[in-house]
Amino acid sequence: MSTDVVIGIDLGGTRIRAARLSADLKILQRIETLTLDGEGLDAVINRIVQQAQAVWPTYARVIGIGVSAPGPVDPIAGVLTTPPNLKGWHNVPLAKLLQDRLGAPAYLGNDANLAALAEHAMGAAKGYKHAVYITVSTGIGGGVIIDGHMFVGAHGLAAELGHVIMGIDGDRTVDWEYMASGTALARQAQAALEKGEDSLLMQMCDSIDAVNAKMVGAAAQAGDKLALRLVTRVGQVLGMGLVSILHTFDPEIVVMGGGVAKGTWPLIIDPMWDAIKKHCMDSAYWETLKIVQPILGEDVSLVGAGALALGKGS
Amino acid sequence: MSTDVVIGIDLGGTRIRAARLSADLKILQRIETLTLDGEGLDAVINRIVQQAQAVWPTYARVIGIGVSAPGPVDPIAGVLTTPPNLKGWHNVPLAKLLQDRLGAPAYLGNDANLAALAEHAMGAAKGYKHAVYITVSTGIGGGVIIDGHMFVGAHGLAAELGHVIMGIDGDRTVDWEYMASGTALARQAQAALEKGEDSLLMQMCDSIDAVNAKMVGAAAQAGDKLALRLVTRVGQVLGMGLVSILHTFDPEIVVMGGGVAKGTWPLIIDPMWDAIKKHCMDSAYWETLKIVQPILGEDVSLVGAGALALGKGS
């Protein structure tokens, strides 16, 4: 018996993963290797090809290959423009290179966009026509589903929601990511500790410089006053950013993932809702709105890449 | 010979207009009356019906009626929720009321969304798949075209771009409209004059309270230092808001209309572009971007309503 499958590839900052998925996006086989520092482009592409071949089916037909990469990418041309986590890569026509080497149509997508696609296809946003996915980790990324389709804009650069401006000072601007990401949380904690504020955080690491968002989340969960204040504020600012997103996209559901959201969820969800209810111009934006955590866990990029390979991206 | 036509109705704060349009959106006949203060809902609806009948064709078939109303509206249910310029109107099922009285399918849309639709169908954004329309007048309104279609979100409340948050102070927020609309320009000029700043504006009206955005625009065009500084800053803040819009929607073209944009265009266009080039995260957002003025003038709402009646809204 022959069936159709897709190959999903997740190009991360620290590892490359590949999976074979069924046409209903179940992962049938997967493989993973760490990325090596200083490895050249050709070597990395060879390794991607080898991993795809390792999960390639013996009998089934591969109808597409999807690749998830850290943004920005040009999903229309299938080009990796300037991936911040993949040093030295610029304007690599990855989709075409893989298509030529592997003999199946290949597609490229930004990781946050593909997470939105995956959660819409199989996860928390399944069945909704208008959904927004936010990841709050080192930075803030976004993906948007409009009328059941992944939205990428004219050049594939839409939904960079972490880079929406949230503050102006003269001719300088600060964006949502600067104010409410894991990097922001760590920076804010370090600044308070530098000023001599007392906190459990000083017992959790050797130096102020070593304080990170995960520690701040843990300290807040343990009731530490400083950490709790900072995490509550991040929840409030995440809510204020969501106000802009609701006024802009009017979605039915917001899925919020990423390490920072996961590690602080019970502490951020109330301040987030409070900010939304206070600052939205009309209660119709939030009366039936759902704000939920993602379902798919660390497979989200592979499932998103698989969904892209199935043509669900357009 | 019988041809198909549509009826467009523009429900403004100060007047009601109706037009008969051809299927290629040419205005064939129009009528206009002023709205009367204190007129009840039934009286207004009767007048809308009479105006539609006045432009109703003798031989042609009316395939639809489109109504443009000040937001927020529920375009999906055809309900006028809380139009700020139409005192005392709440949750009026206007589309159904008109459909029952006039015997043709009726559709309702927010005026800024329909302006986007009109400029896309017949005006400055014709031929573009991804376009954003901004109106800068008393407030700031927005309309978005995605993949050639008007984007209204899950409840018809999307694209309220004037209400995107641009500043946070504690638990207070200020939005784009607060910082860069005509109301903002007048408020900022009045505040500077109160502080005793010298300006041509003091010769243009009897009291500081009477200073409005149009005067500030005129004074700036005449080289007045204060007015020029305020208008330049509004151009810069409009550009900063566009940065968020580009990161969010990645359009090919931005059409910027409204009295304030029209009255200050040569003075705001450079600071707007400077802010975009400075604050966008990637030059790909603006390298091929067009920012232009609308083409349709005061007929924009009638043409947009006609386009909606033709089914171009979905």
Side-chain angles (χ1 to χ4, degrees):
Chain A
M1 194 188 90
S2 167
T3 48
D4 290 345
V5 299
V6 291
I7 304 293
I9 292 164
D10 173 20
L11 210 55
T14 58
R15 60 184 180 171
I16 297 171
R17 298 195 299 160
R20 182 174 76 251
L21 299 96
S22 63
D24 59 353
L25 293 175
K26 297 219 162 43
I27 293 179
L28 304 173
Q29 189 189 351
R30 81 182 84 201
I31 185 171
E32 168 175 339
T33 59
L34 296 181
T35 52
L36 306 175
D37 264 350
E39 203 176 27
L41 175 62
D42 288 346
V44 173
I45 288 172
N46 282 337
R47 212 135 55 77
I48 295 171
V49 169
Q50 284 160 15
Q51 285 195 245
Q53 285 167 337
V55 296
W56 205 265
T58 316
Y59 298 104
R61 186 173 68 114
V62 172
I63 56 176
I65 301 159
V67 182
S68 165
V73 308
D74 179 341
I76 296 157
V79 169
L80 220 44
T81 43
T82 317
N85 301 334
L86 298 170
K87 207 167 45 177
W89 288 43
H90 295 285
N91 295 323
V92 179
L94 189 65
K96 181 163 189 330
L97 288 170
L98 293 180
Q99 190 161 321
D100 290 348
R101 294 279 296 273
L102 291 163
Y107 310 91
L108 180 61
N110 160 299
D111 52 3
N113 287 352
L114 293 190
L117 190 61
E119 289 291 337
H120 180 255
M122 297 280 286
K126 188 168 181 173
Y128 292 92
K129 287 176 69 179
H130 295 276
V132 173
Y133 173 89
I134 307 285
T135 171
V136 187
S137 57
T138 313
I140 293 182
V144 176
I145 301 293
I146 290 179
D147 219 7
H149 299 283
M150 185 171 78
F151 171 56
V152 299
H155 317 92
L157 298 169
E160 284 287 354
L161 302 179
H163 298 289
V164 162
I165 291 172
M166 292 290 284
I168 299 177
D169 178 14
D171 72 342
R172 294 185 314 145
T173 58
V174 292
D175 60 18
W176 200 27
E177 175 170 295
Y178 181 83
M179 296 183 76
S181 64
T183 306
L185 201 51
R187 188 188 68 239
Q188 291 156 4
Q190 289 171 6
L193 295 172
E194 293 285 0
K195 283 189 186 161
E197 206 168 330
D198 190 41
S199 165
L200 276 180
L201 287 164
M202 291 309 289
Q203 295 156 32
M204 295 169 76
C205 55
D206 294 335
S207 74
I208 290 178
D209 289 354
V211 169
N212 62 33
K214 195 169 181 177
M215 291 175 200
V216 181
Q221 299 266 21
D224 180 66
K225 204 173 142 195
L226 167 63
L228 205 49
R229 187 183 79 228
L230 296 176
V231 168
T232 303
R233 176 62 171 169
V234 158
Q236 188 183 37
V237 176
L238 286 173
M240 289 170 171
L242 287 179
V243 168
S244 290
I245 288 169
L246 300 180
H247 288 161
T248 303
F249 288 112
D250 181 21
E252 299 156 277
I253 186 167
V254 172
V255 181
M256 186 176 277
V260 174
K262 191 176 177 185
T264 60
W265 191 256
L267 301 174
I268 62 173
I269 185 73
D270 287 344
M272 211 151 62
W273 269 113
D274 289 347
I276 288 169
K277 290 179 181 176
K278 177 165 181 181
H279 297 289
C280 269
M281 62 182 288
D282 193 312
S283 60
Y285 284 104
W286 51 262
E287 273 167 351
T288 60
L289 178 72
K290 288 177 178 61
I291 303 180
V292 301
Q293 293 184 276
I295 288 178
L296 295 175
E298 70 160 0
D299 283 337
V300 68
S301 291
L302 289 173
V303 174
L308 187 69
L310 279 173
K312 291 190 185 290
S314 53
Chain B
M1 192 187 92
S2 167
T3 49
D4 290 345
V5 299
V6 291
I7 303 293
I9 292 165
D10 173 20
L11 211 55
T14 58
R15 60 183 182 172
I16 297 171
R17 298 194 301 161
R20 183 173 77 252
L21 298 96
S22 63
D24 60 352
L25 293 175
K26 297 220 162 41
I27 293 180
L28 304 173
Q29 188 188 352
R30 82 183 84 199
I31 186 172
E32 168 176 340
T33 59
L34 296 181
T35 52
L36 306 176
D37 264 351
E39 205 176 24
L41 175 62
D42 287 348
V44 173
I45 288 173
N46 282 337
R47 211 135 56 77
I48 296 172
V49 168
Q50 283 160 17
Q51 285 195 245
Q53 286 167 338
V55 296
W56 207 265
T58 316
Y59 299 104
R61 184 173 70 114
V62 173
I63 56 176
I65 301 159
V67 182
S68 165
V73 307
D74 179 341
I76 297 156
V79 168
L80 220 43
T81 43
T82 317
N85 300 334
L86 297 171
K87 207 166 47 179
W89 288 43
H90 295 287
N91 295 323
V92 179
L94 189 64
K96 181 163 189 331
L97 288 170
L98 293 180
Q99 192 161 321
D100 290 348
R101 294 279 296 273
L102 292 163
Y107 309 91
L108 180 61
N110 160 300
D111 51 3
N113 288 352
L114 293 192
L117 190 61
E119 289 291 338
H120 181 256
M122 295 281 287
K126 188 170 181 173
Y128 292 92
K129 287 177 70 179
H130 295 275
V132 172
Y133 174 88
I134 307 285
T135 171
V136 188
S137 56
T138 313
I140 293 182
V144 176
I145 302 293
I146 290 180
D147 220 7
H149 300 281
M150 185 171 77
F151 171 56
V152 299
H155 317 92
L157 298 168
E160 283 287 354
L161 303 179
H163 299 289
V164 161
I165 291 173
M166 291 291 284
I168 299 178
D169 179 13
D171 71 344
R172 294 185 314 145
T173 59
V174 293
D175 60 19
W176 201 27
E177 175 171 295
Y178 181 84
M179 297 184 76
S181 64
T183 306
L185 200 51
R187 189 188 66 239
Q188 291 156 5
Q190 289 171 7
L193 295 172
E194 293 284 2
K195 283 190 185 160
E197 205 167 328
D198 190 41
S199 166
L200 276 181
L201 286 164
M202 291 309 288
Q203 296 155 34
M204 294 170 76
C205 53
D206 295 336
S207 74
I208 289 178
D209 288 353
V211 169
N212 61 33
K214 196 169 180 177
M215 291 174 201
V216 182
Q221 299 266 20
D224 180 66
K225 203 175 142 193
L226 167 62
L228 205 49
R229 188 183 77 229
L230 296 177
V231 168
T232 303
R233 175 64 170 167
V234 158
Q236 188 182 38
V237 176
L238 286 173
M240 289 170 171
L242 287 179
V243 168
S244 291
I245 287 170
L246 300 180
H247 288 162
T248 302
F249 288 111
D250 181 22
E252 298 155 279
I253 186 166
V254 172
V255 181
M256 185 174 278
V260 173
K262 192 176 176 185
T264 62
W265 191 257
L267 302 174
I268 61 172
I269 185 73
D270 287 344
M272 213 152 61
W273 269 112
D274 289 346
I276 288 169
K277 290 179 183 176
K278 177 166 181 180
H279 297 288
C280 270
M281 63 182 288
D282 193 313
S283 61
Y285 284 104
W286 52 262
E287 273 166 350
T288 60
L289 177 72
K290 287 176 179 60
I291 304 181
V292 300
Q293 294 185 275
I295 288 178
L296 296 174
E298 69 161 0
D299 283 337
V300 68
S301 292
L302 290 172
V303 174
L308 187 68
L310 279 174
K312 290 190 186 292
S314 54

